[in-house]
Amino acid sequence: MIGHLSQAEQAVLYPKDRKLVMVIKPYMWVIFGAIIVIPIAAAWIQYLFFGLPSDPSAVLVTLPSKADPGFPLWARLSHWVNFLFLSLIIRSGLSILVDHPRLYFNNGCAPESEWVRFTPVQVPKDRLWTAKEDARYISPVLGLPGYRHSIGLARVWHFLTVPFFVLNGIIFICYLLFTNHWLRLVPTSWQILPDAWHVFVHYATFNFPVEPNGFYHYNALQQLAYFAVVFLLAPLAILTGLAMSPAISNRFPWYPKLFGNRQCARSGHFMVMVCYLVFIVIHVGLVVATGLSRNLNHIVMGTDSTTSNMGLYIGIGIVLFVVICCFVALWLSWHRPRQLQRAQAAVNGNLWRRSINTFKPARYYTKKDISPFFWPNGKIPEDSEKWVELAKNNFKDYKLKITGLVENPMELSLEELKKIAMDQNITMHHCIQGWSGIAEWGGLPLHKLIELVKPHDNVTTVAFYSFGTGLYGGVYYDTHTLDNCKKPLSLLAWEMNYKPLSIEHGAPLRLRIENQLGYKMVKWIDYIEFVASHTDVGKGYGGKNEDDEYFDLLADT
Ligand SMILES: Nc1nc2c(c(=O)[nH]1)N[C@H]1C(S)=C(S)[C@@H](COP(=O)(O)O)O[C@H]1N2
Ligand SMILES: [Mo]
C-alpha cells in the first residue's frame, strides 16, 4: 500500500474487505453458455457425423495473394502502439468498473436488478447504503491505478489514452484503405462465412487447420476475426462510450436508446472489453502455437525469416516496455496525480469545452420513465449543527445566501425561492461511478436567480457550498461555469419525484445541471458564491472531488 498517503485516504483506498467475486444472474449464464456451447457442439456434431469439412486454408496457401505480402512499417507500428493503448484502456476501465461494481440493462440501476456484480455485497435494505460505500477494491495488478475508489485517476488514464487510441485507429484505417493492404482484412465475398465455419470446425475439434503463413494469407476465420476487431469492436467501444456521457445523452436522449438504454450501453462497453480480452488470448495463443519466432519476425521486423530470432527478441522487448509503462503509470498515479489531472484537463478538458459542453440538455423523459430506485450518494450533514437545527424544523428557517461578485446579494427562504418561479423536469442523472437514474426535479431555474442577483461582468463561475463534508473531510462544494448554470433544465431543486426533497437526496436544496456528472450536483446547499474563476475557491481545481480525488473540472463525460 502507498505509504505516503494519509490515514483517511488509506482507509478508503485499501479497505479490509478486498474480496473479488463475480456473481452472474442465471439467465445470463444460459445466454453466455449458449453462445459458447452451441457453436462448439455444432462443430462436434458435424465432425463426428459428417467428418471434417475440407480445409479452406489449404486452398489459400496455393493461391497467389492479391494484396502485397508482409507487414509495412505503419501496420507494425500501429499494431504495437495499439497493444500499449489497449493495456492502459482495459486496465483503467476495470478500475472504473469496480467503482460501481454492478452492470444492468435498466436505467434505474436498482440493487439486485443487475445481471452481474463484482462484489459479494447484497445492498442492505434496513439502512442507508450509498453508491460510494458500494465501491470495490481491485488489485493494481489488474486495474489502473487499482485499489478502491480511485476512479478520478482511472478516468484520467482512460480518457488520456482514448483520443490517441482513436487517432492510431484512424491512421491505421487510412493506410489500410489507401494501400491494397485492405484486401488482407476486408472480406470481399460471402464465401468467407462458410469458409470461416469450416476453419472453426477444425479448431473446435482440435484439428489444427493448415497454417497459411500469415505473411501471405490469413485463413477465413482469422481474417473475419481481424476484420471484426478493427471494424466492429473498436467502433462499438467508441459508440457505447459516448452513450454514457451526460452532455451527449441529455442533449440527444434518443442516442443511448440505439443500444437499448444507457445501462445497456455501459454493459455493452464492458462486453466489448471482454471480446477484446478473448481475442487477445486466442490471438496470442495462436501466434505462439503456429511458430512464435517466425510470426514475430512478421509483425516486428516485417520479414518472413525462418532463421532469425530478431523479431522474437524485439517482441519480448516491446512486451517488457509495455509492462514498464504500466508500472510508470501506476507510480505516476500515486506520486504525480495533480500533473495527471492537469494533463487530462489540457487534452480532454479543452476538447470537451469546445464541443459537447456547448450542448443544451433537452426535455425528453416522461413520468413513466421515472426510476423506481435512485442510488443515494454522499454523507448526510449530520455533523453540521446548523443543518441539524434547520432539519428539526423542516427547514422553515432555512435561508439560502447568495454572495460574491453580484450587484444584489440575497438571502432567500424556501418560500421566497418558490415564489420566484418553478420548473419541473424529468431527466437522467449520471453518476461518475457508472449508475444512472431518471427522476423528476422541481425547483427554481438557475437563470432566474442569476437575473435577480446580477453577477458582475467578470464572473465566469458559480460555486455551490454544502452543509455536508467530502469523503476526506472539509466542506463539500463544486463549481459550474455561468454558462452551464444558464442552460435549460439547470435548477435549484426542492422537489424530487413530485415530493419535497428527502434528506438523503439533499434537503433542503440541491443542484441539477443536466449536462454534467452527478458529483457536480451539490446536495444540502448552504450558500452560493459568484466568482471570477474556479481557481479562486477551495484548492482551486473546481470542487471538493476535483481538489481531493482528481475529478474533472468539466464533467461532460
Ligand atoms: N454535499 C454533497 N453533495 C453531493 C455529493 C456529496 O457527497 N456531498 N455527492 C454527489 C454525487 S457523487 C452524486 S452521484 C449525487 C447523488 O445524488 P443522489 O444522492 O440524489 O443520488 O450527489 C452529488 N452531490
Ligand atoms: Mo456520483
Side-chain angles (χ1 to χ4, degrees):
M1 186 55 208
I2 321 107
H4 66 283
L5 298 179
S6 72
Q7 288 272 303
E9 284 172 312
Q10 304 216 8
V12 169
L13 294 164
Y14 201 67
K16 285 197 192 80
D17 174 14
R18 299 186 297 277
K19 208 166 119 199
L20 187 70
V21 297
M22 182 165 85
V23 185
I24 302 182
K25 283 275 163 73
Y27 70 93
M28 287 304 283
W29 276 119
V30 173
I31 294 174
F32 288 137
I35 291 172
I36 296 165
V37 171
I38 289 176
I40 293 178
W44 274 93
I45 289 170
Q46 178 171 351
Y47 173 52
L48 293 176
F49 291 97
F50 307 99
L52 264 189
S54 65
D55 180 357
S57 33
V59 185
L60 257 186
V61 283
T62 62
L63 280 175
S65 173
K66 285 172 279 173
D68 289 340
F71 299 89
L73 185 64
W74 58 265
R76 287 179 273 140
L77 270 180
S78 63
H79 170 271
W80 290 109
V81 168
N82 207 33
F83 172 53
L84 169 65
F85 288 169
L86 277 178
S87 317
L88 297 175
I89 291 180
I90 291 176
R91 294 180 58 251
S92 56
L94 291 175
S95 253
I96 296 171
L97 173 67
V98 296
D99 211 49
H100 187 69
R102 302 169 193 271
L103 292 168
Y104 317 79
F105 295 124
N106 72 89
N107 275 327
C109 305
E112 284 165 41
S113 74
E114 68 268 357
W115 64 266
V116 61
R117 63 179 153 94
F118 304 90
T119 166
V121 173
Q122 305 252 27
V123 173
K125 292 199 174 84
D126 53 343
R127 71 175 190 88
L128 186 69
W129 179 256
T130 64
K132 258 172 223 171
E133 288 172 279
D134 202 48
R136 290 302 289 183
Y137 170 91
I138 186 169
S139 156
V141 176
L142 291 175
L144 174 64
Y147 303 101
R148 182 171 165 274
H149 196 50
S150 59
I151 188 167
L153 293 163
R155 279 165 51 95
V156 168
W157 286 112
H158 209 66
F159 289 134
L160 264 187
T161 315
V162 162
F164 299 101
F165 168 75
V166 172
L167 192 68
N168 185 50
I170 291 173
I171 293 173
F172 175 79
I173 288 173
C174 285
Y175 266 111
L176 194 71
L177 298 182
F178 291 121
T179 63
N180 63 6
H181 209 79
W182 68 272
L183 284 161
R184 302 184 57 122
L185 233 58
V186 184
T188 50
S189 149
W190 290 108
Q191 184 60 33
I192 186 99
L193 293 177
D195 283 359
W197 174 253
H198 290 172
V199 174
F200 177 76
V201 174
H202 280 78
Y203 284 121
T205 57
F206 310 113
N207 294 289
F208 259 49
V210 172
E211 165 55 32
N213 186 359
F215 202 71
Y216 300 96
H217 304 283
Y218 298 143
N219 75 39
L221 191 59
Q222 191 179 11
Q223 188 185 38
L224 262 193
Y226 294 162
F227 176 78
V229 165
V230 175
F231 291 101
L232 218 67
L233 286 191
L236 263 180
I238 296 165
L239 293 175
T240 51
L242 291 174
M244 288 187 269
S245 143
I248 294 174
S249 87
N250 272 335
R251 168 67 186 83
F252 305 109
W254 51 265
Y255 176 64
K257 283 195 160 181
L258 297 180
F259 308 96
N261 58 48
R262 179 179 187 266
Q263 291 302 325
C264 293
R266 179 167 173 258
S267 292
H269 203 66
F270 169 81
M271 287 180 204
V272 167
M273 186 276 298
V274 172
C275 290
Y276 265 112
L277 282 185
V278 169
F279 169 80
I280 291 169
V281 167
I282 295 177
H283 175 61
V284 173
L286 287 173
V287 164
V288 174
T290 60
L292 179 63
S293 182
R294 186 178 190 177
N295 285 333
L296 282 175
N297 280 334
H298 295 170
I299 196 63
V300 174
M301 311 301 295
T303 66
D304 190 30
S305 167
T306 50
T307 49
S308 157
N309 277 331
M310 208 52 185
L312 180 64
Y313 299 144
I314 298 182
I316 292 171
I318 295 174
V319 172
L320 283 180
F321 173 76
V322 170
V323 172
I324 290 170
C325 284
C326 287
F327 271 102
V328 171
L330 182 64
W331 187 89
L332 286 173
S333 302
W334 298 113
H335 297 268
R336 296 288 180 273
R338 201 58 88 188
Q339 283 85 338
L340 287 175
Q341 183 187 29
R342 291 211 183 98
Q344 154 77 346
V347 177
N348 291 301
N350 281 317
L351 203 61
W352 301 140
R353 185 189 323 283
R354 297 192 172 97
S355 55
I356 58 177
N357 189 56
T358 62
F359 292 174
K360 294 196 167 87
R363 277 207 170 73
Y364 181 79
Y365 296 104
T366 57
K367 270 188 190 175
K368 65 172 183 355
D369 300 314
I370 291 176
S371 308
F373 177 87
F374 203 100
W375 277 88
N377 231 347
K379 273 192 272 181
I380 293 176
E382 280 153 344
D383 352 309
S384 159
E385 274 175 36
K386 201 170 148 199
W387 182 86
V388 171
E389 270 312 302
L390 290 168
K392 275 185 196 152
N393 198 9
N394 216 2
F395 302 102
K396 293 235 163 41
D397 307 316
Y398 171 73
K399 289 231 168 207
L400 171 70
K401 207 165 119 198
I402 304 139
T403 66
L405 307 172
V406 292
E407 247 171 67
N408 305 321
M410 290 185 165
E411 284 201 27
L412 297 164
S413 69
L414 279 178
E415 285 313 309
E416 287 165 326
L417 284 167
K418 287 176 187 172
K419 276 188 201 131
I420 302 172
M422 181 179 182
D423 250 4
Q424 291 176 309
N425 309 314
I426 302 172
T427 58
M428 190 193 285
H429 176 96
H430 304 65
C431 173
I432 191 170
Q433 298 182 283
W435 57 270
S436 53
I438 297 175
E440 181 269 348
W441 302 100
L444 175 66
L446 267 172
H447 72 90
K448 294 267 188 207
L449 190 74
I450 294 168
E451 282 158 24
L452 281 177
V453 299
K454 296 200 170 54
H456 296 166
D457 288 344
N458 61 340
V459 166
T460 67
T461 302
V462 191
F464 299 82
Y465 298 86
S466 175
F467 289 108
T469 53
L471 190 57
Y472 299 119
V475 168
Y476 193 99
Y477 78 98
D478 218 296
T479 65
H480 290 269
T481 62
L482 189 60
D483 199 44
N484 275 342
C485 291
K486 289 179 182 168
K487 290 224 163 106
L489 314 192
S490 292
L491 289 185
L492 276 176
W494 53 75
E495 171 183 284
M496 178 186 185
N497 294 338
Y498 307 101
K499 291 192 202 96
L501 198 56
S502 65
I503 294 289
E504 64 184 43
H505 290 293
L509 215 51
R510 72 168 296 162
L511 195 55
R512 298 299 314 168
I513 306 273
E514 301 298 347
N515 69 340
Q516 300 288 292
L517 290 173
Y519 67 87
K520 302 214 54 119
M521 312 209 187
V522 179
K523 307 199 291 187
W524 309 294
I525 293 178
D526 180 4
Y527 66 102
I528 300 176
E529 185 185 13
F530 285 72
V531 294
S533 159
H534 65 272
T535 56
D536 300 344
V537 288
K539 288 187 198 161
Y541 295 91
K544 192 66 190 151
N545 295 297
E546 294 86 326
D547 287 345
D548 293 353
E549 297 179 59
Y550 314 101
F551 283 16
D552 296 312
L553 171 64
L554 275 179
D556 295 310
T557 54

